[in-house]
């Protein structure tokens, strides 16, 4: 699947802020950032990022968990129905795939942190925690029902998504929690 760099003007930032950086990359300084590429209907995305460190203010997730992570959204119908591919940095590092499904609910205020299911991989390898100031790549490709995730070019996670996750249909996007980043996001363009 051919992917191109997605410019800030093509992203719909639904929470937090993405700003243009001096080198053409986008920057994240907010504790929470969520964005999607409206009009895309694809099952592949790539995030190239440099971790700049934790955000000054750390904000707990809706579940109350304290986490630092960056990741991709696939099939993001809305904030209540989507697939996440997350590179968790702290407190427990690793690649985690989950989907959030809340039929009839479409706004985060309606579903909160309900409807999450973690997908067990058929194959997974341990990934290193990205060090601040170093460049990293997270890529996810859904081929049929099989999702493959690469971290820094290494196949880090592979597994089949259940039917209820595959039934979700929406754009690709990205997400971060409690980390400052400089990034380039790649996805399909309509």
């Amino acid at each position: 699947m051919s992917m191109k760099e997605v410019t800030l003007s093509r992203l719909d930032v639904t929470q937090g802020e993405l700003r243009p950086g001096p080198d053409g990359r986008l920057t994240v300084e907010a504790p929470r950032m969520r964005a999607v590429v409206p009009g895309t209907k694809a099952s592949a995305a790539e995030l190239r990022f440099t971790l700049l460190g934790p955000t000054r203010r750390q904000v707990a997730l809706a579940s109350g968990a304290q986490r630092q992570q960056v990741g991709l959204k696939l099939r993001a119908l809305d904030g209540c129905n989507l697939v996440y591919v997350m590179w968790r940095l702290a407190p427990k590092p690793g690649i985690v795939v989950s989907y959030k499904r809340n039929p009839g609910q479409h706004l985060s205020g309606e579903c909160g942190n309900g409807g999450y299911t973690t997908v067990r991989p058929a194959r997974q390898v341990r990934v290193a925690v990205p060090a601040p100031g170093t460049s990293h790549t997270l890529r996810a490709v859904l081929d049929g029902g099989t999702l493959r995730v690469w971290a820094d070019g290494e196949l880090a996670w592979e597994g089949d998504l259940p039917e209820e996750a595959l039934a979700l249909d929406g754009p690709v996007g990205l997400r971060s929690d409690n980390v400052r980043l400089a990034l380039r996001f790649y996805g399909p363009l309509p």
Side-chain angles (χ1 to χ4, degrees):
M1 170 171 293
S2 176
M3 290 191 280
K4 297 185 181 199
E5 185 171 357
V6 178
T7 62
L8 182 56
S9 65
R10 291 282 308 131
L11 286 162
D12 179 12
V13 180
T14 58
Q15 189 172 17
E17 224 176 4
L18 272 171
R19 294 184 178 174
D23 59 359
R25 293 186 293 173
L26 302 176
T27 60
V28 177
E29 295 287 336
R32 288 186 180 146
M33 185 279 301
R34 312 286 188 268
V36 293
V37 185
T40 57
K41 295 280 186 174
S43 297
E46 181 175 298
L47 180 62
R48 298 177 191 171
F49 67 95
T50 300
L51 179 65
L52 304 175
T55 54
R56 281 178 244 186
R57 186 171 63 93
Q58 297 283 293
V59 175
L61 301 178
S63 66
Q66 287 285 4
R67 203 173 282 148
Q68 294 176 3
Q69 60 185 359
V70 60
L72 301 168
K73 295 177 173 188
L74 301 175
R75 299 179 172 243
L77 177 63
D78 51 46
C80 293
N81 301 280
L82 68 156
V83 175
Y84 281 117
V85 176
M86 301 303 296
W87 192 334
R88 291 188 180 164
L89 312 177
K92 186 178 177 184
I95 302 294
V96 176
V97 172
S98 61
Y99 64 95
K100 186 175 183 182
R101 189 163 187 278
N102 294 280
Q105 296 178 329
H106 303 286
L107 302 173
S108 293
E110 295 173 321
C111 62
N113 69 335
Y116 278 101
T117 301
T118 300
V119 180
R120 291 182 183 249
R123 176 177 185 256
Q124 184 171 24
V125 298
R126 189 167 289 201
V127 296
V129 176
T134 58
S135 296
H136 300 277
T137 301
L138 179 65
R139 180 180 175 99
V141 176
L142 181 59
D143 183 13
T146 302
L147 179 65
R148 291 178 184 88
V149 180
W150 290 266
D152 294 336
E154 179 181 4
L155 184 60
W157 193 102
E158 183 176 23
D160 292 330
L161 294 184
E163 286 300 320
E164 61 183 7
L166 294 171
L168 300 170
D169 190 22
V172 296
L174 63 157
R175 167 187 177 154
S176 68
D177 293 288
N178 299 310
V179 290
R180 294 172 29 251
L181 303 164
L183 63 88
R184 293 183 191 278
F185 179 67
Y186 295 82
L189 294 177

